[in-house]
Amino acid sequence: FRFKDSLAEDLCGADLVISHAGAGSCLEALEKGKPLVVVTNETLMNNHQLELADQLRRDGHVLCCDCGTLVDTLQSMDLSTLKPFPPGQPEKFALFLDKVVGLQ
Amino acid sequence: TGGHTTEILRLLSCLSESYSPRHYIFADSDKMSEAKIRSFEQKRAETFSSSQFTLDRIPRSREVRQSWTSSVVTTLYSIFYSLPLIYKRKPDLILCNGPGTCVPVCISALLLGLLGVKRAIIVYVESICRVETLSLSGKILYYFSDYFIVQWPNLKEKYPKSIYLGRIV
C-alpha cells in the first residue's frame, strides 16, 4: 500500500518492524512493544534523524543498520537483546506546568 | 505539522481543565493537524463536560531547508499575520514544541508583552527527536522563552538554562 492514515492495526499484528529512522515511525513501533530494526540512509536523511536512531541503539531499544547491511542484520540478529522502551510521562509535564502557572 | 502536533497533544494529555480555552495555531499548509486536534478535543470532551478550543491558521514561516534570507522575509510576514491573532486571543500561556510556526507566534507575544498589552508565559518543549542538537526554533527560543524543556540529558548539559524532566511524550 502507499499511504494509510494509521499503521496502528498493522503494527499490532507484526512480530518485527523494519523502519526508516523517522521518529514517529520508531516511537510508534517501540510503544507497541515491537522489536524494531531501523534502517538509516545518511544520504537521504536530515542529520538530526540519525540522532534519535543512534540514541535508541545505544540504549539497546533498537537494532540499526543501513540498506547494505540489512540482510546480514536480519540473518544474524538476536532480538532478545533488545530492551523494552518505557513510555513517556506527560504527567510529569503537567505537574511542572501546574507549578509554573501557580496551580500548585 | 505532523509529528509536532502528535507530540504537543501528548503534552496536553494530562493537563487539567484549568488550561482552558485552548487556542491551537498551525500552518495554513498543514493538512493533517486539524483532524488530530479535533479528535483529541472530542475525546477530551468525554471526560471534561465542556471542551473549549479554537483553531487558527497562519502562513507557514519557513519550508524545510529554505534559504536564510528568504526565511527572514517569510517569518516577518508570519509575524505580521500572527500579531493581530495573538492580540485577539491574549493568551496567558504559550506552549510550543518546535515547528517554524511557533517563532512568529512567540515573537508576537513578546512584542505585545513589551508594549504592555499582555504578558504571556512562554514554555517551549523541544521535540523528542532532538537528542544532541536543538532545532532552529529551539536555538532561537532558548533565549526568548520563560521555560525551555529538553527531553534528553545531553541537551541539558549543552544548554544549562534548559529544564530536563525526562521523556514527557
Side-chain angles (χ1 to χ4, degrees):
Chain A
F1 54 83
R2 285 235 60 196
F3 290 109
K4 272 186 179 178
D5 281 338
S6 166
L7 288 171
E9 241 185 84
D10 298 277
L11 279 178
C12 282
D15 295 309
L16 171 70
V17 177
I18 303 169
S19 167
H20 73 143
S25 309
C26 293
L27 295 173
E28 225 187 314
L30 286 173
E31 283 163 2
K32 289 200 158 46
K34 301 296 174 181
L36 175 61
V37 174
V38 177
V39 185
T40 58
N41 181 345
E42 286 169 59
T43 57
L44 275 181
M45 292 177 0
N46 304 316
N47 277 334
H48 85 263
Q49 256 194 11
L50 189 51
E51 285 177 26
L52 183 62
D54 238 17
Q55 183 67 43
L56 292 173
R57 180 189 52 79
R58 275 197 295 265
D59 291 341
H61 299 302
V62 305
L63 293 176
C64 281
C65 63
D66 57 42
C67 300
T69 52
L70 177 58
V71 177
D72 283 336
T73 305
L74 290 176
Q75 285 172 337
S76 63
M77 67 188 179
D78 179 5
L79 295 176
S80 63
T81 58
L82 293 179
K83 297 189 197 142
F85 185 71
Q89 297 175 285
E91 57 274 17
K92 284 195 176 164
F93 176 67
L95 271 170
F96 169 79
L97 208 57
D98 283 348
K99 286 194 201 116
V100 161
V101 302
L103 284 172
Q104 269 217 10
Chain B
T1 50
H4 289 288
T5 303
T6 305
E7 278 202 51
I8 209 158
L9 292 177
R10 288 190 185 194
L11 286 172
L12 297 181
S13 63
C14 296
L15 295 184
S16 72
E17 200 54 16
S18 308
Y19 297 88
S20 224
R22 287 171 291 284
H23 305 292
Y24 294 91
I25 300 178
F26 50 104
D28 51 9
S29 51
D30 186 340
K31 307 283 178 228
M32 292 181 41
S33 291
E34 176 159 357
K36 285 186 189 174
I37 294 166
R38 287 194 186 280
S39 172
F40 169 81
E41 287 289 342
Q42 203 172 31
K43 239 189 137 211
R44 202 183 162 84
E46 289 165 18
T47 334
F48 303 100
S49 52
S50 73
S51 226
Q52 297 172 284
F53 70 101
T54 65
L55 296 165
D56 287 300
R57 291 172 183 274
I58 62 171
R60 186 166 175 157
S61 30
R62 183 177 175 260
E63 300 296 331
V64 179
R65 297 193 222 258
Q66 186 179 332
S67 80
W68 230 106
T69 36
S70 76
S71 295
V72 173
V73 175
T74 51
T75 303
L76 279 172
Y77 177 64
S78 301
I79 295 172
F80 182 71
Y81 201 96
S82 53
L83 204 49
L85 175 61
I86 305 300
Y87 178 77
K88 176 173 152 193
R89 299 286 181 218
K90 293 200 182 62
D92 301 301
L93 172 71
I94 295 180
L95 178 59
C96 51
N97 69 334
T101 322
C102 65
V103 174
V105 168
C106 290
I107 292 178
S108 299
L110 285 163
L111 282 172
L112 289 174
L114 284 171
L115 293 170
V117 174
K118 176 74 187 188
R119 172 82 168 86
I121 302 173
I122 298 177
V123 176
Y124 182 94
V125 181
E126 185 61 284
S127 167
I128 192 165
C129 308
R130 293 301 187 157
V131 180
E132 303 282 348
T133 62
L134 292 185
S135 60
L136 182 55
S137 304
K139 285 179 190 164
I140 297 168
L141 290 169
Y142 178 65
Y143 299 101
F144 297 106
S145 56
D146 295 292
Y147 300 90
F148 190 90
I149 300 171
V150 295
Q151 302 195 54
W152 294 95
N154 287 347
L155 285 177
K156 168 71 187 159
E157 278 174 48
K158 291 180 188 165
Y159 297 93
K161 286 198 297 178
S162 68
I163 296 161
Y164 173 65
L165 301 170
R167 258 190 297 123
I168 50 177
V169 299

